Amino acid sequence: MKCSVILCPAHLDELYFTGKTIIVIDVLRASNTIINALKNGAKEIVPVASVEFAVKVSGGMFGGQTLIGGERNTKKIDGFALGNSPLEYTEEVVSGKSIVFYTTNGSKAVAKAKFSENLFICSFSNISAVAKHIVNLNTDFEILCAGRNNSFSIEDSVCAGRLVSIIQTLSKNIELSDSSKACLALNKSFGKSILAMLKGSEHGKLLIENGFEEDLKFCSETDSIKVIPYFKENVIKLPR
Ligand code: MLT
């Protein structure tokens, strides 16, 4: 299995992803919101790349069964039912619902990778489950870090390194790119306390400033949720 890490999707276009196996990571916070919503019984997440498209898509879906969620500058968008705190996506709120989802980096990364053959969503919370699944697939894969504002983010790259290191413990059949080796090193240096790493990150500091410190705790938990969200036919779901 060849493995490489895309540190940020800005320089790639949609066709790059055609036919590939891609794992999208946006630790703060889109991956965790998607993972928690689906674990709590949401029917599906519809990731979109613009607020305008979110409103348009939700207009064509069933009233009452559809919610629009996401953020701009970490905050809930006017007219949206939900923001992008994973803690908002409780069973009471999301069970049975389709959620149209826009975020600054995470939903855009998923939408950009829509032509992938296989597309999974990962964070620390489901990392071992995703690692096992990739080893079972036994195919070349690329980890797509959503990054931050078209740039590198430490939390996504450390998580990518952690994923590679778990896969290495499960399979000897792995060929690492330079980017994978760099992320392994980042995980070694910064992965000792995930919470401390998140608190020290640029995006973590902004979330704390905006009152979302609890989200950092949630997003730092490892192997707390065993689901593997996958994207197919424009929606993210759990396997049945
Ligand atoms: C994103 O997709 O940019 C993030 O999830 C932003 C956030 O923390 O809400």
Side-chain angles (χ1 to χ4, degrees):
M1 290 184 286
K2 285 189 186 150
C3 154
S4 75
V5 181
I6 302 162
L7 297 170
C8 153
H11 61 294
L12 298 172
D13 67 22
E14 293 174 351
L15 293 180
Y16 172 83
F17 297 95
T18 309
K20 299 192 178 204
T21 292
I22 299 290
I23 302 143
V24 173
I25 294 181
D26 184 4
V27 174
L28 295 174
R29 298 167 285 174
S31 285
N32 284 293
T33 302
I34 293 167
I35 291 164
N36 202 38
L38 290 170
K39 183 221 105 188
N40 284 335
K43 183 179 162 214
E44 61 196 5
I45 313 283
V46 187
V48 294
S50 74
V51 173
E52 295 67 33
F53 197 56
V55 174
K56 196 167 164 185
V57 170
S58 68
M61 298 175 87
F62 294 119
Q65 293 309 310
T66 305
L67 299 171
I68 317 187
E71 57 70 46
R72 198 184 255 147
N73 299 325
T74 76
K75 306 225 178 69
K76 182 155 88 83
I77 298 166
D78 276 351
F80 278 31
L82 296 163
N84 187 28
S85 168
L87 302 173
E88 286 178 73
Y89 289 66
T90 59
E91 196 176 337
E92 295 67 39
V93 174
V94 302
S95 183
K97 300 279 185 353
S98 297
I99 299 165
V100 181
F101 190 58
Y102 168 81
T103 68
T104 315
N105 306 285
S107 73
K108 282 188 193 162
V110 178
K112 198 173 219 187
K114 65 185 172 203
F115 296 134
S116 308
E117 172 76 23
N118 300 301
L119 201 177
F120 306 105
I121 309 297
C122 180
S123 189
F124 291 106
S125 55
N126 68 345
I127 196 162
S128 295
V130 172
K132 275 185 209 133
H133 193 66
I134 294 298
V135 170
N136 287 338
L137 277 181
N138 195 24
T139 187
D140 296 347
F141 62 96
E142 294 186 37
I143 303 170
L144 172 59
C145 297
R148 182 159 178 262
N149 302 335
N150 293 330
S151 186
F152 175 87
S153 77
I154 192 154
E155 66 276 11
D156 294 347
S157 303
V158 169
C159 187
R162 177 70 59 93
L163 180 61
V164 174
S165 83
I166 298 171
I167 291 173
Q168 273 187 318
T169 64
L170 299 173
S171 171
K172 296 288 158 260
N173 171 28
I174 180 164
E175 194 181 319
L176 300 178
S177 66
D178 289 357
S179 56
S180 317
K181 290 176 193 165
C183 288
L184 277 173
L186 285 173
N187 177 48
K188 238 183 185 164
S189 297
F190 294 96
K192 292 181 186 81
S193 164
I194 303 299
L195 184 57
M197 181 272 294
L198 294 183
K199 282 185 174 171
S201 70
E202 291 170 2
H203 195 65
K205 286 181 189 160
L206 183 69
L207 287 169
I208 292 169
E209 261 167 47
N210 286 317
F212 294 112
E213 185 155 1
E214 278 305 298
D215 286 1
L216 267 60
K217 227 162 130 197
F218 185 91
C219 296
S220 73
E221 282 163 16
T222 298
D223 289 332
S224 46
I225 304 177
K226 310 241 177 296
V227 304
I228 307 170
Y230 76 98
F231 176 90
K232 206 177 176 90
E233 291 162 2
N234 298 318
V235 299
I236 305 169
K237 285 188 172 181
L238 296 184
R240 292 202 177 265

